[in-house]
Structures are given as structure tokens and as C-alpha cells.
Amino acid sequence: MLRMKVMTQLNGRQREEVRGLETICRESDKIQGGISLTADEETGMLPTYFLCYEEELLAGFVILYAMPEKTAEICSYIHPQYRRRTMYKKLITAVIKELKQAGIEKGYYVFEPHESKDFDEITERGYFIYSHSEYLMEWKYSYQLLPTNALALKPLAESEREAAAILLAGAFSMPQEEAEERFAQICEKDGIYYAAWQKTEMVGLFALAEGEKTVYVFDFAVDGDHQGRGIGKALLKEIIRLVQEKCAGGEEKKVRIQVGSRNETAFRLYQKNGFQVISQRDYYRIDTEAKE
């Protein structure tokens, strides 16, 4: 008999159960997995947890992250021995009910691609509708790059923030206010923004967030008036060179960047300049009106 628990907080034992189920699913499905079980108040991501038990065993788990602008992301783990229609139906029904009660207009199920007949059946029934994919890409070479002399990279000065916000807003089709908020979010997490200059013109922008073994590139952007002139390619090379300089004399760090399937131009640019996909997450729109 399956029984469901829906809650907004997990105790220590429940966290251990979820992590145990995560490990089983990662090994069984050969996926990277990895989900956060905590709220992120800075970004407004608030989780709701769905735990489905078969007797005393945690057989299914779903986490729903409520996000700003009436959207949500959903991730799940289902024990390989309990991937039956009854389990999926119970979890999906509970998630759809929560979406409706919370007034969430767009819910996206996040799926790390792997062979799954059960998931295929769910999509065929119309519960999930493919929306887009997100790729994590990594620079796959180890040779040292030489300066291109095409661009000068400098940490973004406070006096340059307005111009940078305009550039970022134009590159990502977002309001300028949102771009300025983005600066604050990245910098609060120890990220550093850099501007790329051609003489006296700011032509590009990016941020670096440095981890123990990896440097992540965020908000890679080229000014709209300067696109199609090879600046994107030169900027990527300068970013790699900058990271190499930072790591000189120490342990070499990986350089990673994320891009969505809808941004084909950026994806091709990264791919042509030494970046390869190392992980993929597919986003499926949840149809709250789907019928059995």
C-alpha cells in the first residue's frame, strides 16, 4: 500500500532516506543526479517535498521548487523496483494538485536523459510536454592560450554598471532592472564580473564564479552592435586565458558554461571553440489538465 506525505520541511531521517534513494537511482540509471533539499531565499526558490512510502521504504520522492513569476521546477527519484503506473500516477496527481493550489501557472519537470519506458509512457499520455534543454559544457583542452590582443579584460567598475546592465539586458532580452539584480545575485555569491573592451568601447561582458576545482562562466554576452565580428570567439579565448593565469603555479581548473537549446547561436559558438557537453537536463511542461 502506497502512502504519501507532503511537507515543506524534512527532518534528518527523511533527508537520509532521500539521499539513499538518490544514490540508488543514480547507480541504476547511470545519471549524475544531484538536487538541493534546501530553500534558496535569494532567488525565491521554496521547496515542497512529496515522499511516497511502500510500507517503511521510501519508494518515490518529488521536490517541487516554487519560483518567482508563478513558475515551478519539479525533480524526482523513483526506486527501480517501484516504477509502476500506480506510483507515477500518485506522484503526478499530488504535484498537479499542489501546482493548482499554489496558483502556479507553469510547472516544468526536469529530466536527466536516460532510457526509461515509464517516462516515455507518461509523455505519451500527455502529462509532460517537451519544452527545452539545458546543457552544461566544459572546455576540453589543456594547452596554454596566448593573448589575442583583440580585447582587454578588466573587472567591472562600479561606474560601469549601468552600461553593463544595458549590454546584458540587450543580449538576453531582459529588462535593465533585472540585469542589475542579476549583478547583485552573482556578486553576493562571490562571482566577479568582467567587461571586455576594444579601445574605449565595452563590447562584451561575463562573470566568473570560482570553485575548488571548477570555474563557472555566467552571463557571457556580446554587445549587439558588435556581434558577427569574431568578438565572441576572441572573448572565449580570453576567458580561458584569464582562468589559466589565475591557476598559474597551482592546480589546473575546469572551465564550464551553461547554455540552453533555444540559444543555438551560443551553443554553436561554444562547441566550435573547444567546449563539449558533459551533462544535459530536459525540461517538460506539466499539463495540469491532462486526462487519464
Side-chain angles (χ1 to χ4, degrees):
M1 175 68 70
L2 297 176
R3 54 189 179 87
M4 175 78 68
K5 292 183 179 180
V6 181
M7 56 194 65
T8 56
Q9 288 186 329
L10 298 178
N11 60 34
R13 181 181 62 81
Q14 291 164 339
R15 287 177 179 272
E16 289 181 3
E17 290 177 332
V18 171
R19 291 309 182 193
L21 177 59
E22 178 182 59
T23 299
I24 291 172
C25 291
R26 289 176 66 175
E27 293 175 353
S28 173
D29 299 327
K30 296 180 175 56
I31 59 175
Q32 296 185 35
I35 56 176
S36 172
L37 297 179
T38 59
D40 189 336
E41 296 180 357
E42 292 181 2
T43 59
M45 291 179 64
L46 304 176
T48 300
Y49 311 100
F50 304 78
L51 293 86
C52 195
Y53 289 88
E54 176 67 37
E55 296 183 353
E56 298 304 314
L57 174 69
L58 179 62
F61 172 76
V62 172
I63 183 168
L64 184 156
Y65 299 101
M67 305 170 70
E69 299 181 359
K70 297 182 178 181
T71 61
E73 291 185 3
I74 294 92
C75 302
S76 73
Y77 292 119
I78 310 295
H79 195 290
Q81 295 179 8
Y82 294 90
R83 293 175 180 175
R84 302 188 297 265
R85 182 179 176 187
T86 303
M87 168 68 78
Y88 283 102
K89 183 177 179 181
K90 194 173 187 70
L91 287 169
I92 292 171
T93 300
V95 167
I96 289 176
K97 181 179 179 181
E98 180 66 25
L99 290 173
K100 290 181 176 179
Q101 288 180 343
I104 294 173
E105 297 175 355
K106 293 182 180 179
Y108 293 94
Y109 182 80
V110 184
F111 180 76
E112 186 174 338
H114 63 275
E115 186 175 346
S116 174
K117 294 181 180 179
D118 307 287
F119 183 79
D120 292 342
E121 182 179 341
I122 290 172
T123 54
E124 288 173 3
R125 289 180 176 275
Y127 284 109
F128 298 157
I129 303 168
Y130 175 77
S131 172
H132 64 283
S133 298
E134 293 285 345
Y135 305 105
L136 183 61
M137 306 183 75
E138 182 177 296
W139 197 69
K140 285 298 183 179
Y141 300 100
S142 58
Y143 57 81
Q144 295 293 311
L145 293 184
L146 299 175
T148 64
N149 297 320
L151 301 170
L153 304 187
K154 299 177 184 178
L156 187 66
E158 189 68 32
S159 60
E160 299 163 350
R161 281 218 173 182
E162 183 177 356
I166 294 173
L167 190 157
L168 187 64
F172 290 96
S173 300
M174 66 172 69
Q176 184 176 335
E177 295 79 7
E178 186 176 335
E180 292 170 351
E181 291 175 1
R182 178 75 176 166
F183 289 152
Q185 291 173 1
I186 296 294
C187 292
E188 284 175 4
K189 296 182 179 180
D190 298 324
I192 301 175
Y193 274 91
Y194 293 84
W197 297 84
Q198 273 192 337
K199 296 182 180 179
T200 60
E201 288 188 280
M202 183 188 297
V203 297
L205 186 74
F206 65 94
L208 294 183
E210 190 169 349
E212 185 177 346
K213 296 182 178 180
T214 306
V215 177
Y216 291 92
V217 183
F218 293 97
D219 296 345
F220 180 93
V222 175
D223 179 71
D225 292 337
H226 293 82
Q227 292 180 3
R229 304 180 185 180
I231 290 177
K233 179 178 180 179
L235 183 52
L236 280 177
K237 288 184 177 180
E238 290 296 336
I239 290 173
I240 299 298
R241 192 177 66 81
L242 177 61
V243 173
Q244 290 176 340
E245 285 183 354
K246 285 177 171 288
C247 298
E251 184 179 356
E252 184 178 324
K253 292 190 176 184
K254 300 173 182 177
V255 181
R256 293 177 175 176
I257 192 167
Q258 186 168 303
V259 62
S261 58
R262 294 170 177 168
N263 194 345
E264 294 183 8
T265 299
F267 180 82
R268 289 196 299 269
L269 174 66
Y270 304 153
Q271 200 172 42
K272 289 178 179 179
N273 289 278
F275 284 82
Q276 296 178 14
V277 174
I278 60 170
S279 70
Q280 175 181 341
R281 289 192 171 188
D282 296 335
Y283 288 72
Y284 289 79
R285 176 78 178 272
I286 298 174
D287 184 0
T288 56
E289 304 301 325
K291 304 296 182 181
E292 183 63 22

